[in-house]
Amino acid sequence: DAKTTQPPSMDCAEGRAANLPCNHSTISGNEYVYWYRQIHSQGPQYIIHGLKNNETNEMASLIITEDRKSSTLILPHATLRDTAVYYCIVRAYTGANSKLTFGKGITLSVRP
Amino acid sequence: EAQVTQNPRYLITVTGKKLTVTCSQNMNHEYMSWYRQDPGLGLRQIYYSMNVEVTDKGDVPEGYKVSRKEKRNFPLILESPSPNQTSLYFCASTPGQGARGGYTFGSGTRLTVV
């Protein structure tokens, strides 16, 4: 699976949009971009994933650049409960082991 | 409610005393996996199972065993726990190989081996 690079941390004000960047310059054609988050020491929570088109669900939006070398997770109206570590993961569906390879992620702090 | 249930949530044990951490999912998922999380090392896969009676090693399998006799259950067994297995453990499941959905994780088991 391709490697991802995320800044270590960022913050945003409550109620504002949080834009979390991720670089994955070595992504291959069959690899999807996934985002998970982990609040304190709880189990990671799936947020969204995409291949090349932008995706939106009730939690967030995922914007993938045309060359697919980077993406941005957007939390449109961040709340204090969105304070967490966010992981950007690139993974293909092929292969026997559907393993997720977690990096260090980005720590998002939402301030009041 | 669709969920992955782990038990216990917290466990303190002594070196060498066999223990089992249970994991159960109610979503009829084929694929299940165990991860451990340690400061500075992130989440690492221990074992995984693609279906009943099909299991294989992940990245850090030493000192652990698993079994998959039923689709819903995937227990993690530490035959002779050691202090270096003190960690936060997570069980996860997903519909199957190639599934395009996300993984569902359990709430975690914090294990301390003294």
Side-chain angles (χ1 to χ4, degrees):
Chain A
D1 294 332
K3 181 178 170 59
T4 63
T5 303
Q6 301 176 258
S9 64
M10 65 175 290
D11 63 27
C12 75
E14 189 176 21
R16 304 299 293 268
N19 298 310
L20 287 71
C22 180
N23 286 324
H24 30 79
S25 58
T26 60
I27 193 170
S28 59
N30 66 342
E31 289 182 315
Y32 287 67
V33 180
Y34 283 81
W35 283 84
Y36 284 78
R37 73 180 182 183
Q38 187 175 24
I39 297 172
H40 194 44
S41 293
Q42 298 177 20
Q45 177 188 22
Y46 165 79
I47 301 173
I48 198 167
H49 76 284
L51 182 63
K52 53 184 177 181
N53 298 320
N54 298 337
E55 302 287 345
T56 295
N57 63 20
E58 65 279 3
M59 290 183 68
S61 295
L62 174 60
I63 308 298
I64 302 174
T65 58
E66 193 168 343
D67 63 8
R68 302 207 324 121
K69 293 184 177 182
S70 65
S71 60
T72 301
L73 178 75
I74 301 173
L75 307 179
H77 305 286
T79 70
L80 298 179
R81 287 173 296 189
D82 291 322
T83 292
V85 179
Y86 288 77
Y87 298 98
C88 171
I89 298 169
V90 170
R91 185 176 73 87
Y93 289 138
T94 57
N97 184 5
S98 297
K99 178 175 69 174
L100 294 174
T101 300
F102 288 84
K104 296 188 186 314
I106 177 173
T107 299
L108 172 67
S109 300
V110 180
R111 60 181 187 276
Chain B
E1 180 189 354
Q3 60 185 358
V4 174
T5 303
Q6 293 179 229
N7 280 297
R9 291 294 306 276
Y10 301 92
L11 179 60
I12 300 175
T13 190
V14 297
T15 299
K17 185 177 181 182
K18 180 179 178 180
L19 66 91
T20 300
V21 183
T22 64
C23 174
S24 179
Q25 50 92 6
N26 61 0
M27 298 165 281
N28 201 38
H29 284 173
E30 290 187 352
Y31 182 93
M32 298 184 74
S33 183
W34 277 101
Y35 289 82
R36 62 177 287 175
Q37 185 171 28
D38 303 287
L41 296 175
L43 284 135
R44 295 176 293 169
Q45 190 188 53
I46 304 171
Y47 266 95
Y48 67 95
S49 169
M50 292 188 293
N51 213 325
V52 175
E53 303 293 0
V54 181
T55 64
D56 207 347
K57 298 175 181 178
D59 296 323
V60 288
E62 294 77 23
Y64 304 95
K65 286 176 57 178
V66 293
S67 69
R68 187 92 182 272
K69 297 177 182 174
E70 306 167 282
K71 199 170 189 178
R72 63 183 295 126
N73 296 322
F74 190 44
L76 180 68
I77 303 156
L78 285 72
E79 294 268 3
S80 182
S82 63
N84 64 13
Q85 293 178 297
T86 292
S87 187
L88 179 57
Y89 292 87
F90 292 103
C91 181
S93 73
T94 195
Q97 177 187 345
R100 284 159 174 72
Y103 284 66
T104 302
F105 282 79
S107 299
T109 296
R110 189 170 291 280
L111 172 66
T112 302
V113 183
V114 298

